[in-house]
């Protein structure tokens, strides 16, 4: 639907190179939808889109992609991926984060971007890009609709561009280190641990969040922020799209959360 773009595409000739980590294992709650949103919003603007995958045992070239995505996963799949992440991908991912490529982890993926995920008295190591530790404590899973308030440089002028709405379902509780910024402040829902009022974590362009939903179809302003940041441009330089439906989806997710 290229005619959805209003005005001349500002980024013609550019290509967004995305790498999905473990797309077969870390993909609960329709993480594929997040990748599709990135793809379509690039295509509608005449921006090229390349999707690569890096699964178990496959190396990761931190220079070959602009945006790295790791989705949600069951505990057993996270165990498998954690070991592989350290062995075959940690160096590449760290190099990518250091040059401020975008690294986005959702739920199980977020947990693996921290230092560790402890469950059943076993500590699963993470890559340590975020100063966060997750523990599977006794107590119910944290499940429900969630909305958070965030502040990201250059995000759309739209009032919606300060709220992310989605759905969370996690047994792990995440605590941030003292200097670690959260992604946002919980408006409704549990967030990192149901107590701190914080949700997710952000260090430069490395971002972790518990928001599924999937995240990006319900928050396209954030998808645009990710695209622009990964391409190294200001989000306001992206051609505007007709987001009538997408805005409705966002408002509906906010209503569901009560925010
Ligand atoms: N297995 C993790 C937990 O329960 C992450 C779940 C998820 O990705 N939805 O905390």
């Amino acid at each position: 639907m290229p005619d959805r773009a209003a005005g001349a595409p500002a980024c013609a000739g550019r290509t967004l190179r995305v790498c999905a980590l473990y797309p077969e294992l870390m993909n609960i709650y329709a993480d594929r939808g997040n990748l599709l949103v990135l793809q379509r919003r690039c295509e509608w603007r005449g921006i090229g889109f390349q999707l690569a995958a890096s699964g178990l045992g496959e190396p990761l070239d931190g220079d070959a992609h602009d945006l790295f995505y790791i989705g949600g996963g069951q505990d057993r799949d996270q165990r498998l991926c954690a070991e592989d992440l350290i062995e075959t991908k940690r160096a590449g991912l760290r190099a990518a984060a250091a040059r401020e490529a975008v690294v986005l982890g959702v739920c199980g993926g977020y947990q693996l971007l921290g230092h560790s995920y402890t469950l059943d008295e076993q500590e699963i190591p993470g890559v340590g890009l975020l100063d966060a530790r997750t523990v599977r404590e006794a107590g119910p899973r944290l499940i429900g609709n969630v909305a958070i308030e965030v502040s990201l440089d250059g995000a759309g002028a739209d009032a919606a561009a300060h709220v992310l709405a989605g759905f969370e379902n996690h047994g792990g509780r995440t605590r941030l280190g003292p200097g670690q910024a959260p992604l946002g402040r919980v408006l409704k829902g549990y967030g990192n641990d149901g107590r701190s009022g914080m949700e997710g974590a952000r260090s430069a362009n490395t971002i972790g969040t518990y928001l599924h939903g999937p995240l990006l179809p319900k928050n396209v302003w954030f998808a645009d922020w990710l695209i622009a940041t990964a391409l190294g441009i200001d989000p306001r330089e992206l051609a505007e799209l007709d987001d009538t439906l997408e805005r409705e989806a966002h408002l509906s997710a906010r209503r569901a959360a009560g925010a």
Side-chain angles (χ1 to χ4, degrees):
M1 293 166 68
D3 55 335
R4 285 177 52 127
C11 310
R14 300 293 308 273
T15 292
L16 181 73
R17 303 166 304 162
V18 174
C19 182
L21 305 189
Y22 313 107
E24 268 123 48
L25 291 168
M26 299 292 283
N27 68 357
I28 54 177
Y29 288 113
D31 287 292
R32 175 94 193 108
N34 288 330
L35 299 172
L36 271 173
V37 166
L38 295 174
Q39 177 172 359
R40 293 284 191 275
R41 294 184 77 76
C42 283
E43 287 171 357
W44 288 335
R45 295 179 165 115
I47 302 171
F49 183 86
Q50 280 172 13
L51 179 61
S54 184
L56 289 177
E58 289 168 348
L60 187 72
D61 179 352
D63 286 329
H65 313 282
D66 309 304
L67 189 154
F68 298 80
Y69 179 82
I70 177 161
Q74 309 283 358
D75 288 344
R76 64 170 181 277
D77 293 328
Q78 272 177 265
R79 277 184 221 265
L80 281 175
C81 294
E83 204 174 306
D84 184 77
L85 199 57
I86 302 280
E87 272 170 30
T88 68
K89 299 178 183 51
R90 177 165 57 182
L93 213 49
R94 278 178 178 255
R99 66 174 177 85
E100 303 205 342
V102 172
V103 180
L104 174 64
V106 172
C107 203
Y110 164 34
Q111 294 170 343
L112 294 184
L113 293 182
H115 297 299
S116 58
Y117 177 30
T118 305
L119 73 161
D120 304 333
E121 289 170 25
Q122 187 201 355
E123 186 173 285
I124 301 174
V127 287
L129 289 181
L130 297 170
D131 186 10
R133 293 184 186 276
T134 301
V135 178
R136 184 74 182 261
E137 292 168 356
R141 294 184 68 79
L142 306 181
I143 304 174
N145 294 299
V146 51
I148 66 171
E149 185 178 48
V150 299
S151 165
L152 295 170
D153 295 345
D158 199 321
H162 299 290
V163 174
L164 290 175
F167 183 79
E168 60 185 324
N169 181 354
H170 49 110
R173 271 77 167 158
T174 299
R175 308 255 145 69
L176 305 183
Q180 175 64 61
L183 173 60
R185 182 176 72 83
V186 175
L187 296 173
K188 294 281 176 180
Y190 298 104
N192 281 342
D193 59 1
R195 288 195 283 268
S196 64
M198 294 191 265
E199 204 294 314
R202 177 183 175 209
S203 291
N205 297 334
T206 297
I207 292 177
T209 177
Y210 274 114
L211 269 66
H212 287 290
L215 171 69
L216 300 184
K218 293 183 176 176
N219 302 285
V220 291
W221 70 265
F222 184 51
D224 285 352
W225 186 88
L226 294 169
I227 291 169
T229 303
L231 290 175
I233 61 170
D234 189 296
R236 288 165 288 219
E237 287 179 67
L238 292 174
E240 233 177 276
L241 299 175
D242 172 2
D243 280 333
T244 312
L245 283 174
E246 289 80 355
R247 226 164 263 136
E248 238 348 280
H250 175 79
L251 291 175
S252 157
R254 282 175 71 158
R255 279 193 298 272

